[in-house]
Each structure stands twice: as structure tokens, then as C-alpha cells.
Amino acid sequence: MSVLLTQFDPESVVRKAYEFAEMAHKDELRESGEPYFIHCVKVAETVYEWKLDQSSIAAALLHDTVEDTSITNKDIANYFGNEIAFLVEGLTKLETIQYPEKKETTEIENLRRFIISFAKDLRVVLIKLADRLHNMQTISHLSKERRDRLAWETAEIYAPLAYRLGMQKLSGELEDLAFPHIDPEGHAWLMNAVTESYKDRIRYTERVRPMILKHLVKNDIKPITVDARAKRYSSLYKKLLRYEMDLEKIYDLVAFRIIVDTIEECYAVLGVVHKLWAPLPGRIKDYIARPKPNGYRSIHTTVFCVDKKIIEIQIRTQEMHEEAEMGIAAHWAYQQIRNETKKKALWKGVKNKGELTWIEQLSNWQKHFTEPEAFMRALKTDFFKERIFVITPHNDIIDLPVGATPVDFAYRIHTDVGHQCIGAKINKKIVPIDYELKSGDIVEIITQKGKKPSEDWLRFVKTESARDHIKSALRVKSRLFRTKAEPELMEFKIVNQDGPGFLKEVTTVFGDLRINILYLQSQTDHRKAFSIVTIRTEVLPEAKIEKVLLKLRKIPNTKEVTYKTER
Ligand code: MN
């Protein structure tokens, strides 16, 4: 019987949702032939295990009702109220996202963020992850095409997303489930290469474990647990790829995890372990002093253990352990039993700018809650408030600050698109150029050849890069439209088959000859085969022009150098 029936009384919203979903999916079967409702229960049980609130568990039970049955979101709102309806709506919407075939890393990263922002509430993302976990666990019943698709999305989007949220265990589980579908040969090879020694490794850990325990006790340390852990296949395989597929070079095939009460004890355990077995130089990693970007804390060391076998030992507190396994979900659970001073250290040391802004933002709002309810409120994606995500006509997702306009978008696409922007269509409708973009808008820029940016734009653009581009274009424009009394300009054009450092070499030529560059633009042609650099300077004497041309032509891979006098 489901834990949901034993843990929640019949009057609870969870039990009501249970009955409602059971009715709604009554006649539906999954590809495996099982009643569809079993899937809903599994997802809800996972959400329950993660200790999310009752609204989340109810929403998990209901997550496929609107999509698959005749029930509408209004029905959900009527029966269960706005909060649960909001969560279910978020989950239904996430189903509609079209995932790209194959994308650049940055675009995938944007897509992950987009999912979060689109979901509006982090609970939606967590329920989605639980849904994805069960889909992956039951993937064998699907067609090959759908298996491949699901596995790809899981490996590229959902496992990293879980990792970012600090849910390492889930992330690893998702990766392992996707692995055989993403790379069947690699997976088969690994299974064959590793299983042979698997039993030996178990026997080995059985010999080592009592030794660790004995020495800890002798030093007055009472560990909470000492576990041997097997390395995840997907992460092992990734590591092997970096080590010439040589299993001998992998040191953490056998790893122990020692969990103790306090941070002081963590370091004490490290001392005991190092006295017992010599550490490998350079392999002690103190993620307590310097947590990983996703908040992970632990001490790792690699030692020459019994029979000179190299093993890894991980040392952490119970709290760190739960955070490592459960991430953001653990926080809420912890909140109920610990006072707030204990968690202070968690986000310290999270510094890696840019890439990790989510985590930093999480850490900021984390300071504000002391109650579980406050945390649930915080789970609303307030921390994404300052970013929006819009879509290009080619379905690329562009990440911009709140308040950004079509001009910001245009400059993000390309400098020339920015300069030549005369209008925009949002979701196919024409809007003013200072229109405030919203998440999910499909943005198309209308351009006109030869158009120059206007000073007025500086009034409303939100991104620094747009501001810079506009300003530098205005500077050139003001030079170009000077009165006759002022000197004219010269323009050099250099076409290069894109050798490395080309732009730098060009500017060095001018710098060495003490010529001021008044305007500089670098472009690539449509096939990206050539780089074209345009440079404008004051009018130079004949002799100096000769020198410039000579030096520019000497730059490797240069195809063409031309110049003219501009008016
Ligand atoms: Mn589902």
C-alpha cells in the first residue's frame, strides 16, 4: 500500500488528490500495461520522500490530469484551490517545451534556466524531476526513438539541473539511467570491464571497514556511519574517457564514506585515516573549507590502503551528507529540526561568478527564512526575478535582465542587428522599440540597411553591451557629420582568413605607428570563413599610409587590405 494512504488522513489534501487522480486516470494504461495512476503515485511518493509540503505531493498526484484527461485547470482550482492549480499548471506547461535537437552548451544552459523561470516556482521543477526519474525508471517499455529522446533530455537538461540544485544523488541516478541509451557500446564495454572485479571490491571493503571503525573508536570518534560506496557507472565512464580508459588509473572505484557529528570530527577523522594509511600527494580535497559551486561540502582523500590498493575516503557530517544527496530539498527538512545558525556556513565560498548566479541568489534569499513556511514561499522563483528568457524565431533562448527591450535583444543577436534595428515583432505583433520584453516572448527584429542607432535609445536600454555599442556608434556618427572645417577620416579595411590573434595584430600595427583608432569594427562574413576589420583614423600623410599598408599586408593569412578617405 502506498505510503500516501498510511501517512495522510482521509481529510487531507493529499488523500483527496489521490482519489481524484485515481478516478481521472481510471481507464488509462501506461505503455507497460500498468494502470497509469501508478505513475502518479510513484512521483508523489518521491516528492513525499523529499519532504516537500502537502501541496507539492497533491500536485504530483495530479500532475498529468490536465494533460491526459478531460479535466481542466479550472477544475483543479475549484477542487484544490489556487496554489495546487498553479503547480499543476506549471507542470502541464513544462510538458509543452520543445527541446532542441542538438544545441551548444550555452544554449542548453539557458534552457535549464528557462525551465526554472518558466516553472515560476521551484516546487514545479522538483516535481518535474521526480516525474522524470520515474519515466526513466520505466523507460524500457517505450519505443527506441522515445527512449533516445528521453535519455538525451535527461542527460543534457535534467541531470545537470538536479546537480545545480545540489541534488547529487538524483543527478547521478538520472545519469546512470540515461547512460545505456546515450552510449550503448560504452555502457556495454564498462559493464564487462568492471563487473569482473566487482565482487572482489565488495570483499575488499568488508576487510577494510572494520579496520576503519576500530581506529576511529580508538581515537574517541564515534562515526554515525561508515559506508563503502560504489562509483556510479556514468561518472566512472566519464572519468575513464579522461584516463585512456585505464581502470588502473581510477582511484575511487572503491570509496568509503565516513559520516560524523561535527566539522571538528571530520578533520579528526582525516588525521586518523592518514596515520593509518599514507595519503597520495595532492589528492586531499577540502570541500568543507572551499565548497563546490553547487554547495557540496565534504573532505576527500586518496590513500594507499590494505595491500597497497588505492582507495578514496570521503568524510562529512550528517547535515552535509543529506545536503549532498538531497540538495535544496534537504534544506527545508533540516530547517524543521535545526536552528538557523547551523546553516550559515553552507553557501560560504560559493564564488564562481556568472555561471553560478542561481546558487548565489539562492544563498541570498536563504538568509531570509527561519520557518519552513518561509522557505516554501522562498521556493517561489523570486530569485529569478531579475532575469527573463525570450525566444528567437529560430527557437533559441536568450537570457536578458528584467526590463530589457527589443534593442537589447537585437544587440545580443549581433552588433549590426542592433545598429540597424528599426522595430520589433513580439509574438508576430509589431511593438514599439522600447517595449518591455517578458519571459516567453518570441522576438523578431526588423532591420533596415544603413540605419544608425539613435541617442534616444540610451534612455531605455537595459544591457551594458547595448549601451556600449550605441555610444561607440554615436561617437563615430558625430565624427562623420562634423562641419567642413574639421578634418576628414580615413578608413582601412583588412580581410583575413581568421588567423588567431588577427584583431590584436591589426590594432598593434596602428599602435606601433602612434595612430589613434577612432572607430573599429570586426565582422565575419556569412560563412565565417573571413574576418573583416574596419578601422577609421584621422587622415594620415602619404608616407604613413604606405607604412600602415605594408605592415597590415604582412599579417599572416591576410587576403586584402584597402583604404579610402571618408567624408
Ligand atoms: Mn508524468
Side-chain angles (χ1 to χ4, degrees):
M1 187 161 67
S2 169
V3 66
L4 302 176
L5 294 176
T6 57
Q7 290 297 308
F8 295 93
D9 64 75
E11 287 310 303
S12 68
V13 69
V14 171
R15 284 280 288 272
K16 283 188 177 142
Y18 188 99
E19 281 150 27
F20 187 95
E22 191 172 26
M23 275 298 289
H25 293 292
K26 189 163 45 99
D27 303 318
E28 243 180 304
L29 296 177
R30 299 192 88 209
E31 327 256 329
S32 61
E34 279 182 335
Y36 195 90
F37 179 59
I38 288 180
H39 166 67
C40 309
V41 174
K42 288 284 177 213
V43 175
E45 283 177 357
T46 303
V47 170
Y48 167 78
E49 274 166 36
W50 291 347
K51 301 193 175 67
L52 293 189
D53 63 346
Q54 293 205 17
S55 301
S56 306
I57 303 170
L61 282 161
L62 299 166
H63 81 273
D64 278 329
T65 52
V66 175
E67 212 203 335
D68 297 345
T69 73
S70 59
I71 288 154
T72 66
N73 208 260
K74 236 181 135 190
D75 297 331
I76 303 282
N78 284 338
Y79 284 109
F80 297 100
N82 287 336
E83 189 187 7
I84 291 174
F86 172 79
L87 296 174
V88 174
E89 192 186 6
L91 287 155
T92 311
K93 271 191 182 165
L94 274 183
E95 285 299 314
T96 64
I97 291 187
Q98 287 294 317
Y99 296 97
E101 260 325 304
K102 219 182 187 116
K103 287 278 167 179
E104 299 300 317
T105 322
T106 52
E107 291 173 74
I108 290 171
E109 176 58 29
N110 270 347
L111 191 59
R112 288 180 207 132
R113 290 169 172 225
F114 182 65
I115 286 170
I116 297 239
S117 121
F118 202 70
K120 298 255 186 12
D121 185 316
L122 211 46
R123 286 177 295 175
V124 172
V125 179
L126 295 175
I127 299 165
K128 179 71 197 171
L129 288 169
D131 177 40
R132 181 49 61 119
L133 176 64
H134 189 245
N135 285 337
M136 287 304 293
Q137 284 165 342
T138 51
I139 196 172
S140 60
H141 300 285
L142 304 177
S143 67
K144 175 160 182 353
E145 206 191 4
R146 287 198 47 207
R147 282 200 308 257
D148 290 350
R149 192 87 206 115
L150 215 57
W152 185 86
E153 284 171 20
T154 301
E156 292 293 331
I157 316 268
Y158 289 100
L161 193 58
Y163 184 83
R164 284 301 173 80
L165 295 173
M167 304 170 87
Q168 307 218 5
K169 186 175 168 219
L170 175 66
S171 172
E173 231 171 316
L174 289 172
E175 278 196 347
D176 264 7
L177 288 165
F179 182 26
H181 306 282
I182 301 274
D183 183 357
E185 287 105 55
H187 182 259
W189 175 87
L190 187 67
M191 288 303 151
N192 191 41
V194 177
T195 41
E196 278 201 298
S197 60
Y198 185 75
K199 273 193 188 143
D200 294 340
R201 277 189 288 146
I202 296 288
R203 257 196 296 276
Y204 183 78
T205 62
E206 282 164 1
R207 271 172 65 205
V208 171
R209 191 168 173 276
M211 298 173 73
I212 295 177
L213 277 170
K214 199 179 104 193
H215 280 84
L216 290 180
V217 172
K218 223 163 76 185
N219 286 276
D220 286 329
I221 301 165
K222 264 196 242 126
I224 298 171
T225 53
V226 174
D227 282 333
R229 78 116 178 76
K231 193 167 180 62
R232 291 231 176 245
Y233 284 117
S234 52
S235 88
L236 172 58
Y237 191 73
K238 276 188 201 156
K239 201 163 184 177
L240 279 167
L241 291 173
R242 287 185 275 123
Y243 290 85
E244 291 98 36
M245 304 313 276
D246 185 355
L247 273 168
E248 297 286 305
K249 288 184 183 151
I250 307 291
Y251 297 149
D252 58 351
L253 222 51
V254 171
F256 279 92
R257 199 171 268 161
I258 303 171
I259 296 170
V260 288
D261 242 332
T262 65
I263 291 181
E264 291 72 38
E265 279 179 312
C266 290
Y267 291 102
V269 171
L270 185 69
V272 171
V273 166
H274 283 173
K275 228 163 97 187
L276 194 54
W277 298 301
L280 250 75
R283 301 261 325 168
I284 304 164
K285 291 170 202 153
D286 186 351
Y287 298 122
I288 293 179
R290 305 190 51 175
K292 278 195 190 182
N294 69 352
Y296 176 77
R297 289 183 304 161
S298 205
I299 298 172
H300 293 189
T301 184
T302 307
V303 297
F304 294 102
C305 192
V306 178
D307 300 339
K308 286 276 169 270
K309 229 172 139 71
I310 296 170
I311 66 162
E312 184 177 280
I313 293 180
Q314 305 177 351
I315 307 157
R316 53 173 84 148
T317 66
Q318 182 69 23
E319 186 174 352
M320 291 173 195
H321 180 60
E322 283 181 26
E323 281 162 10
E325 305 267 294
M326 298 285 294
I328 190 160
H331 261 278
W332 182 52
Y334 246 89
Q335 218 43 59
Q336 297 172 307
I337 44 174
R338 292 261 174 137
N339 63 43
E340 64 158 334
T341 52
K342 292 251 177 180
K343 68 177 194 294
K344 262 197 330 221
L346 174 67
W347 303 99
K348 262 194 203 158
V350 176
K351 268 196 194 81
N352 198 349
K353 270 268 169 205
E355 201 201 358
L356 296 150
T357 46
W358 310 8
I359 297 295
E360 281 175 316
Q361 283 162 353
L362 278 170
S363 87
N364 285 338
W365 57 243
Q366 206 195 3
K367 289 180 196 132
H368 298 299
F369 66 82
T370 48
E371 303 295 320
E373 298 75 41
F375 179 70
M376 287 326 284
R377 251 179 283 130
L379 272 183
K380 304 272 190 326
T381 51
D382 279 359
F383 66 104
F384 282 112
K385 264 202 178 126
E386 58 266 41
R387 304 303 287 180
I388 57 160
F389 300 85
V390 297
I391 306 162
T392 71
H394 304 293
N395 268 328
D396 295 323
I397 292 159
I398 306 277
D399 157 15
L400 289 165
V402 163
T405 63
V407 174
D408 294 292
F409 175 91
Y411 276 106
R412 181 63 73 78
I413 301 294
H414 193 277
T415 310
D416 283 343
V417 177
H419 287 341
Q420 300 174 2
C421 171
I422 54 161
K425 283 186 194 168
I426 307 295
N427 309 323
K428 303 240 159 81
K429 270 201 232 103
I430 295 202
V431 297
I433 207 163
D434 61 351
Y435 168 90
E436 190 175 307
L437 297 171
K438 287 174 209 60
S439 268
D441 279 349
I442 299 169
V443 189
E444 196 180 329
I445 297 297
I446 306 163
T447 57
Q448 187 184 59
K449 261 231 148 72
K451 168 87 171 49
K452 294 270 159 21
S454 122
E455 196 165 353
D456 185 47
W457 293 2
L458 293 171
R459 204 172 39 78
F460 58 76
V461 291
K462 282 285 176 307
T463 52
E464 266 328 294
S465 68
R467 193 171 297 278
D468 285 350
H469 284 308
I470 295 165
K471 278 187 182 161
S472 69
L474 287 173
R475 270 198 296 275
V476 172
K477 202 164 116 185
S478 69
R479 287 216 166 85
L480 289 173
F481 289 93
R482 272 190 256 228
T483 57
K484 277 176 203 151
E486 286 179 278
E488 297 168 79
L489 295 175
M490 305 209 57
E491 183 177 283
F492 293 87
K493 237 186 183 90
I494 309 101
V495 180
N496 183 288
Q497 209 158 13
D498 218 10
F502 163 58
L503 186 62
K504 188 157 179 271
E505 289 197 62
V506 172
T507 52
T508 307
V509 167
F510 288 86
D512 287 350
L513 293 166
R514 309 235 168 274
I515 301 166
N516 278 332
I517 295 174
L518 300 175
Y519 170 90
L520 181 145
Q521 190 190 40
S522 172
Q523 287 172 284
T524 50
D525 74 329
H526 68 286
R527 288 178 299 117
K528 299 204 167 141
F530 296 99
S531 285
I532 304 146
V533 171
T534 308
I535 284 181
R536 294 194 191 121
T537 68
E538 308 282 356
V539 175
L540 306 172
E542 214 43 54
K544 218 162 194 183
I545 295 173
E546 281 305 314
K547 278 187 189 160
V548 172
L549 295 176
L550 201 72
K551 288 199 169 196
L552 288 176
R553 287 187 181 120
K554 272 194 189 154
I555 296 173
N557 299 317
T558 294
K559 295 289 156 204
E560 198 182 294
V561 180
T562 54
Y563 79 99
K564 61 181 177 186
T565 308
E566 282 258 330
R567 187 169 279 278

